[in-house]
Amino acid sequence: MKSVISKNIMLHYPKEHTEKPIISNLIKRYDLTVNISRARIGQDEEGIMVIEVSGKKQNLDAGLNYLKEIGVTFKPVSMVVLMVDEKCTHCSACTVICPSDALTIEDRNTMMVSFIQDKCIACGLCIPACPYHAMEMHE
Amino acid sequence: MAKTIREINDKIKNNKAVVFTAEEIIPFIKQKGYKKAAEEVDVVTTGTFSPMCSSGAFLNVGHPSPRMRMQKAWLNGVAAYGGFAACDIYIGATQIPDEDPANKIYPGSFEYGGGHIIEDLIAGKDVFLRATSYGTDCYPRKELETYIDLKDLNQAYLVNPRNAYQNYNVAVNLSSGVIYTYLGVLQPNMGNVNFSCAGQLSPLLNDPYYKTIGIGTRIFLGGGIGYVIWEGTQHNPTAVRSENGVPSEGAGTLSVIGDMKKMSTRYIKGVSMLGYGASLAVGIGMPIPIVDEEMIEFVSVRDEDIYAPVVDYSSAYPKRESKIVAKVNYRDLRSGTVKILGENVQAASISSYPVAREIAETLKTWIQNGTFTLTEKVASIPGVESGQTFKPLEIRPERG
């Protein structure tokens, strides 16, 4: 019996794909299990989705190939986002961009922005949104 | 009991001045009352740290041999203005490199611009100067390529035509698509609300009628010493004011000057606003002398007393329509969630409250140490009585 393998990947949806049943196709056509951990997708906008996708290797390869063919790019979630403390001015512009509340003001007295690594899904939205280049993506 | 600036300065020089920040003074006044607080307190310090696009720097680079009067100049590929006497250039905060794709690839990232050059110079980094000219008998050089750094410049000073906006718009996006503005990324359907003001810590909100702040006022600018040199561009003293005298929209602005050689990159930072452009974040702190009871009343202003207009940046703002969505106060904005049109909206600040607080604290320390004394203003900037307004540009293709 072939063993089930799983991958954590982040999908990047071009805006023309946001209304297509891509996840449904992965499940039905390729017999894969998809666990959506984070998503930020709107009508007619680019979107991102972080999923854990698992199944038999040949099905997984075929499913990922399907994504490539239709133009949904993806990358493994092995990237890590870091905050460069000396560059952060604690303005809070990032806090309304972060889809997973990893960037937040925990104490409204100090008004300091905290970066909670455990909540970060490495989507990278904060990187261009930070006016001071304080957020970086690393391998 | 009124005090004079001279009396306050005597106390500062003897390390006896009583100084509070604009935050600390609020509970103190509540405890003591206006009269007693006005007697006991000498100075209240304010602070703000935010992108202030109307900023830039004059640089005198010295004369090369042979001499040159620079007609066109670029610093790290960013155009500077050279329409002055030889060797003087002005680099503006929002200028971007000539080859920057800007918003051709939308939204543009605007990684580098005039503001970053100012920050790099203050950081002591080498900056590449390229200049061209037509050549004259007295200034024969037509091309110049050289590195420059701050220490070798004869003069380098910020001259910012419009800083320290008294109050400011609060931005939302009522459209169904994301927009990119100078107030940050605005999510569709009022997904977030962005603001940029230090509220109760902000300099001109603590002196709403410009009684003590005026031309010649010595200030904290970018970590060094600066001065108010004029009213700022778009200065609008007749803006709508609440009953407490505090403007509930843009209102006053200041033009300031200061020596870059004394500044710090902690308080002067290049800014990249996604889809909008480059800018410069400027740290400003101003001392408010408590010369009488009226001034202590002014500095008692709290975030909840200061209202700002919520403006739709997807339509009303770009079309220059004056309609507003709502008015909200800074206590609610700073809480992180504010109710607008019956909906709870997540709020974010483009200005930094922690750095504004740090600036007010630093200025307080300077005054307590006796290293920063107050100035009497040389002249006032226009107040309410001037009737001065902020006029729009009415486009007229024909001569009048």
Short mmCIF file of all heavy atoms in Angstrom, two decimals, chain B residues 252-287:
data_model
loop_
_atom_site.label_atom_id
_atom_site.label_comp_id
_atom_site.label_asym_id
_atom_site.label_seq_id
_atom_site.Cartn_x
_atom_site.Cartn_y
_atom_site.Cartn_z
N GLY B 252 -4.00 73.91 10.74
CA GLY B 252 -2.69 74.55 10.70
C GLY B 252 -1.57 73.63 10.21
O GLY B 252 -1.63 72.42 10.37
N THR B 253 -0.55 74.25 9.60
CA THR B 253 0.68 73.52 9.25
C THR B 253 1.86 74.44 9.52
O THR B 253 1.69 75.65 9.67
CB THR B 253 0.72 73.12 7.76
OG1 THR B 253 0.86 74.31 6.97
CG2 THR B 253 -0.53 72.39 7.32
N LEU B 254 3.06 73.84 9.57
CA LEU B 254 4.26 74.63 9.85
C LEU B 254 5.35 74.33 8.84
O LEU B 254 5.47 73.20 8.35
CB LEU B 254 4.78 74.31 11.25
CG LEU B 254 3.88 74.70 12.42
CD1 LEU B 254 4.43 74.12 13.71
CD2 LEU B 254 3.71 76.21 12.52
N SER B 255 6.14 75.34 8.56
CA SER B 255 7.34 75.17 7.78
C SER B 255 8.52 75.18 8.76
O SER B 255 8.58 76.06 9.62
CB SER B 255 7.44 76.33 6.78
OG SER B 255 8.54 76.13 5.95
N VAL B 256 9.39 74.19 8.63
CA VAL B 256 10.47 74.07 9.61
C VAL B 256 11.82 73.90 8.93
O VAL B 256 11.91 73.50 7.77
CB VAL B 256 10.22 72.89 10.58
CG1 VAL B 256 8.90 73.07 11.33
CG2 VAL B 256 10.21 71.55 9.84
N ILE B 257 12.86 74.18 9.71
CA ILE B 257 14.24 74.08 9.20
C ILE B 257 15.10 73.44 10.29
O ILE B 257 14.82 73.61 11.48
CB ILE B 257 14.77 75.49 8.83
CG1 ILE B 257 16.04 75.42 8.00
CG2 ILE B 257 15.01 76.36 10.07
CD1 ILE B 257 16.39 76.76 7.34
N GLY B 258 16.13 72.71 9.87
CA GLY B 258 17.03 72.14 10.87
C GLY B 258 18.26 71.52 10.23
O GLY B 258 18.22 71.08 9.07
N ASP B 259 19.36 71.47 10.98
CA ASP B 259 20.66 71.00 10.51
C ASP B 259 20.69 69.47 10.46
O ASP B 259 20.63 68.81 11.50
CB ASP B 259 21.74 71.53 11.47
CG ASP B 259 23.14 71.19 10.99
OD1 ASP B 259 23.28 70.54 9.93
OD2 ASP B 259 24.10 71.59 11.69
N MET B 260 20.81 68.92 9.25
CA MET B 260 20.85 67.46 9.10
C MET B 260 22.03 66.83 9.81
O MET B 260 21.99 65.67 10.20
CB MET B 260 20.94 67.10 7.62
CG MET B 260 19.59 67.01 6.93
SD MET B 260 19.79 66.88 5.14
CE MET B 260 20.58 65.29 4.93
N LYS B 261 23.10 67.60 9.96
CA LYS B 261 24.31 67.02 10.56
C LYS B 261 24.10 66.66 12.03
O LYS B 261 24.90 65.94 12.62
CB LYS B 261 25.49 67.99 10.41
CG LYS B 261 25.87 68.20 8.95
CD LYS B 261 27.20 68.91 8.79
CE LYS B 261 27.49 69.09 7.29
NZ LYS B 261 28.88 69.43 7.01
N LYS B 262 23.05 67.21 12.63
CA LYS B 262 22.77 66.91 14.04
C LYS B 262 21.61 65.91 14.18
O LYS B 262 21.18 65.63 15.28
CB LYS B 262 22.41 68.21 14.78
CG LYS B 262 23.46 69.31 14.69
CD LYS B 262 24.58 69.04 15.68
CE LYS B 262 25.76 69.97 15.49
NZ LYS B 262 25.45 71.38 15.45
N MET B 263 21.10 65.43 13.06
CA MET B 263 19.91 64.57 13.12
C MET B 263 20.28 63.10 13.22
O MET B 263 21.43 62.72 13.03
CB MET B 263 19.02 64.83 11.90
CG MET B 263 18.37 66.21 11.96
SD MET B 263 17.27 66.47 10.57
CE MET B 263 16.96 68.23 10.78
N SER B 264 19.25 62.30 13.52
CA SER B 264 19.45 60.87 13.71
C SER B 264 18.46 60.09 12.85
O SER B 264 17.30 60.50 12.69
CB SER B 264 19.23 60.55 15.19
OG SER B 264 18.77 59.24 15.35
N THR B 265 18.92 58.94 12.32
CA THR B 265 18.02 58.12 11.50
C THR B 265 16.93 57.46 12.35
O THR B 265 16.03 56.84 11.82
CB THR B 265 18.79 57.03 10.75
OG1 THR B 265 19.55 56.28 11.70
CG2 THR B 265 19.72 57.63 9.73
N ARG B 266 17.02 57.62 13.65
CA ARG B 266 15.91 57.14 14.49
C ARG B 266 14.65 58.00 14.25
O ARG B 266 13.54 57.52 14.36
CB ARG B 266 16.32 57.21 15.97
CG ARG B 266 15.20 56.94 16.92
CD ARG B 266 15.45 55.75 17.83
NE ARG B 266 14.25 55.37 18.55
CZ ARG B 266 13.57 54.25 18.35
NH1 ARG B 266 13.98 53.39 17.45
NH2 ARG B 266 12.49 53.98 19.04
N TYR B 267 14.88 59.27 13.92
CA TYR B 267 13.75 60.20 13.79
C TYR B 267 13.57 60.76 12.38
O TYR B 267 12.73 61.62 12.16
CB TYR B 267 13.90 61.34 14.80
CG TYR B 267 14.03 60.85 16.22
CD1 TYR B 267 15.24 60.95 16.92
CD2 TYR B 267 12.95 60.24 16.86
CE1 TYR B 267 15.36 60.48 18.22
CE2 TYR B 267 13.07 59.76 18.15
CZ TYR B 267 14.27 59.89 18.81
OH TYR B 267 14.39 59.41 20.10
N ILE B 268 14.44 60.33 11.46
CA ILE B 268 14.29 60.71 10.04
C ILE B 268 14.43 59.43 9.23
O ILE B 268 15.51 58.82 9.20
CB ILE B 268 15.40 61.72 9.61
CG1 ILE B 268 15.27 63.05 10.36
CG2 ILE B 268 15.38 61.94 8.10
CD1 ILE B 268 14.13 63.94 9.91
N LYS B 269 13.34 59.00 8.61
CA LYS B 269 13.38 57.72 7.91
C LYS B 269 12.72 57.83 6.54
O LYS B 269 11.63 58.40 6.42
CB LYS B 269 12.63 56.65 8.71
CG LYS B 269 13.43 56.11 9.90
CD LYS B 269 12.69 54.97 10.55
CE LYS B 269 13.34 54.53 11.84
NZ LYS B 269 14.65 53.90 11.65
N GLY B 270 13.36 57.23 5.54
CA GLY B 270 12.75 57.11 4.23
C GLY B 270 11.51 56.23 4.33
O GLY B 270 11.45 55.32 5.15
N VAL B 271 10.53 56.55 3.50
CA VAL B 271 9.25 55.85 3.55
C VAL B 271 8.91 55.34 2.15
O VAL B 271 9.10 56.05 1.16
CB VAL B 271 8.13 56.83 4.02
CG1 VAL B 271 6.75 56.22 3.85
CG2 VAL B 271 8.36 57.23 5.47
N SER B 272 8.40 54.10 2.07
CA SER B 272 7.89 53.55 0.81
C SER B 272 6.43 53.19 1.00
O SER B 272 6.11 52.28 1.74
CB SER B 272 8.66 52.26 0.45
OG SER B 272 10.04 52.53 0.32
N MET B 273 5.56 53.96 0.37
CA MET B 273 4.12 53.67 0.50
C MET B 273 3.67 52.89 -0.73
O MET B 273 3.69 53.42 -1.85
CB MET B 273 3.31 54.97 0.63
CG MET B 273 3.58 55.76 1.90
SD MET B 273 3.34 54.88 3.46
CE MET B 273 1.58 54.79 3.54
N LEU B 274 3.31 51.66 -0.52
CA LEU B 274 2.92 50.76 -1.59
C LEU B 274 1.86 51.40 -2.50
O LEU B 274 0.82 51.87 -2.02
CB LEU B 274 2.38 49.46 -0.97
CG LEU B 274 1.97 48.34 -1.91
CD1 LEU B 274 3.16 47.82 -2.71
CD2 LEU B 274 1.35 47.18 -1.13
N GLY B 275 2.15 51.43 -3.79
CA GLY B 275 1.19 51.95 -4.76
C GLY B 275 1.05 53.46 -4.74
O GLY B 275 0.28 54.02 -5.51
N TYR B 276 1.78 54.13 -3.86
CA TYR B 276 1.66 55.59 -3.77
C TYR B 276 2.97 56.29 -4.13
O TYR B 276 3.05 57.08 -5.06
CB TYR B 276 1.19 56.02 -2.38
CG TYR B 276 1.21 57.53 -2.23
CD1 TYR B 276 0.26 58.30 -2.89
CD2 TYR B 276 2.23 58.16 -1.53
CE1 TYR B 276 0.31 59.68 -2.83
CE2 TYR B 276 2.28 59.54 -1.46
CZ TYR B 276 1.32 60.29 -2.12
OH TYR B 276 1.39 61.66 -2.07
N GLY B 277 4.02 56.00 -3.35
CA GLY B 277 5.28 56.66 -3.66
C GLY B 277 6.23 56.67 -2.47
O GLY B 277 5.99 56.01 -1.45
N ALA B 278 7.31 57.43 -2.64
CA ALA B 278 8.32 57.54 -1.59
C ALA B 278 8.06 58.81 -0.78
O ALA B 278 7.42 59.75 -1.25
CB ALA B 278 9.71 57.62 -2.21
N SER B 279 8.53 58.82 0.46
CA SER B 279 8.35 59.99 1.31
C SER B 279 9.42 59.98 2.41
O SER B 279 10.38 59.20 2.36
CB SER B 279 6.93 59.98 1.91
OG SER B 279 6.70 61.17 2.63
N LEU B 280 9.22 60.83 3.37
CA LEU B 280 10.15 60.93 4.50
C LEU B 280 9.34 61.02 5.78
O LEU B 280 8.43 61.86 5.89
CB LEU B 280 11.03 62.18 4.36
CG LEU B 280 12.10 62.36 5.43
CD1 LEU B 280 13.24 61.36 5.22
CD2 LEU B 280 12.68 63.78 5.41
N ALA B 281 9.65 60.14 6.73
CA ALA B 281 9.02 60.25 8.05
C ALA B 281 9.88 61.18 8.90
O ALA B 281 11.10 61.03 8.95
CB ALA B 281 8.89 58.90 8.72
N VAL B 282 9.22 62.16 9.50
CA VAL B 282 9.93 63.20 10.24
C VAL B 282 9.45 63.21 11.69
O VAL B 282 8.25 63.16 11.95
CB VAL B 282 9.66 64.59 9.59
CG1 VAL B 282 10.42 65.69 10.34
CG2 VAL B 282 10.05 64.59 8.12
N GLY B 283 10.40 63.26 12.58
CA GLY B 283 10.07 63.37 14.01
C GLY B 283 10.18 64.82 14.45
O GLY B 283 11.22 65.46 14.25
N ILE B 284 9.08 65.34 15.01
CA ILE B 284 9.06 66.73 15.46
C ILE B 284 8.54 66.78 16.89
O ILE B 284 7.56 66.11 17.23
CB ILE B 284 8.15 67.58 14.54
CG1 ILE B 284 8.74 67.65 13.13
CG2 ILE B 284 7.96 69.00 15.10
CD1 ILE B 284 7.92 68.48 12.15
N GLY B 285 9.20 67.59 17.71
CA GLY B 285 8.71 67.83 19.06
C GLY B 285 8.72 69.32 19.33
O GLY B 285 9.63 70.03 18.88
N MET B 286 7.68 69.81 19.99
CA MET B 286 7.64 71.25 20.27
C MET B 286 7.32 71.48 21.74
O MET B 286 6.47 70.80 22.30
CB MET B 286 6.58 71.93 19.41
CG MET B 286 6.89 71.81 17.94
SD MET B 286 5.92 72.95 16.95
CE MET B 286 6.32 72.30 15.33
N PRO B 287 8.01 72.46 22.33
CA PRO B 287 7.71 72.79 23.72
C PRO B 287 6.57 73.80 23.78
O PRO B 287 6.51 74.72 22.97
CB PRO B 287 9.02 73.44 24.19
CG PRO B 287 9.57 74.08 22.95
CD PRO B 287 9.09 73.28 21.77
#
